Amino acid sequence: YNDAVEPSSLIDAAAPPGHCTRSATSALAKLLHWARERKLENEVICHQADYVASALASTEKPVLVSDWHNALKLGFDIDALEWPSWILERCLNADERNTLTRLRVTRPGDVCERVVSAEASEAWGLPAGVEVVG
């Protein structure tokens, strides 16, 4: 969580002054660092809570949903409710954009179109069919 990566010159050149993504521990900096290590093709980036929520639903095709608060760490603009153009156009290539924009962003507390699966219910003692929220 607090592991710093080498600051990204792409973020430095594009991000507004003082933006949270300028931090060496920002999720966007980590995504760009990871993308330098290996090509991103079919990945979906998400935060720990988003992954756990997806695993609780355990559908054949996981739906990864994040709330605004988690997506903010990747640079999501919570005023405009979209990924800023400076990230999409100046920081990411097409594969990296696809990795970022596959994550559906929702209002905190909104139902994520998922329910706790029977498998998760049995494994963790949760009521099956309970809605998962962001």
Side-chain angles (χ1 to χ4, degrees):
Y1 180 80
N2 289 326
D3 293 342
V5 295
E6 182 180 322
S8 169
S9 59
L10 294 170
I11 295 173
D12 287 342
H19 197 276
C20 66
T21 56
R22 289 181 171 274
S23 165
T25 59
S26 81
L28 183 61
K30 291 176 182 181
L31 172 66
L32 293 174
H33 181 78
W34 183 31
R36 282 196 310 267
E37 291 179 349
R38 66 185 210 93
K39 184 177 178 177
L40 303 180
E41 295 180 85
N42 295 312
E43 291 83 355
V44 179
I45 191 167
C46 67
H47 294 274
Q48 298 93 330
D50 307 330
Y51 180 81
V52 169
S54 178
L56 287 174
S58 74
T59 60
E60 289 180 24
K61 182 179 179 188
V63 176
L64 290 172
V65 179
S66 185
D67 70 35
W68 301 337
H69 299 295
N70 284 339
L72 173 68
K73 300 166 194 167
L74 281 163
F76 188 78
D77 185 330
I78 60 172
D79 292 324
L81 301 179
E82 63 185 20
W83 296 105
S85 60
W86 65 263
I87 292 176
L88 298 177
E89 296 168 8
R90 297 178 61 196
C91 293
L92 306 174
N93 67 32
D95 290 329
E96 295 159 358
R97 266 192 305 278
N98 192 32
T99 294
L100 184 66
T101 59
R102 281 187 201 167
L103 181 64
R104 196 179 61 152
V105 181
T106 178
R107 178 182 17 212
D110 277 1
V111 174
C112 299
E113 299 177 19
R114 300 177 295 202
V115 296
V116 172
S117 69
E119 296 83 9
S121 175
E122 185 175 323
W124 301 103
L126 301 170
V130 170
E131 294 177 325
V132 177
V133 297

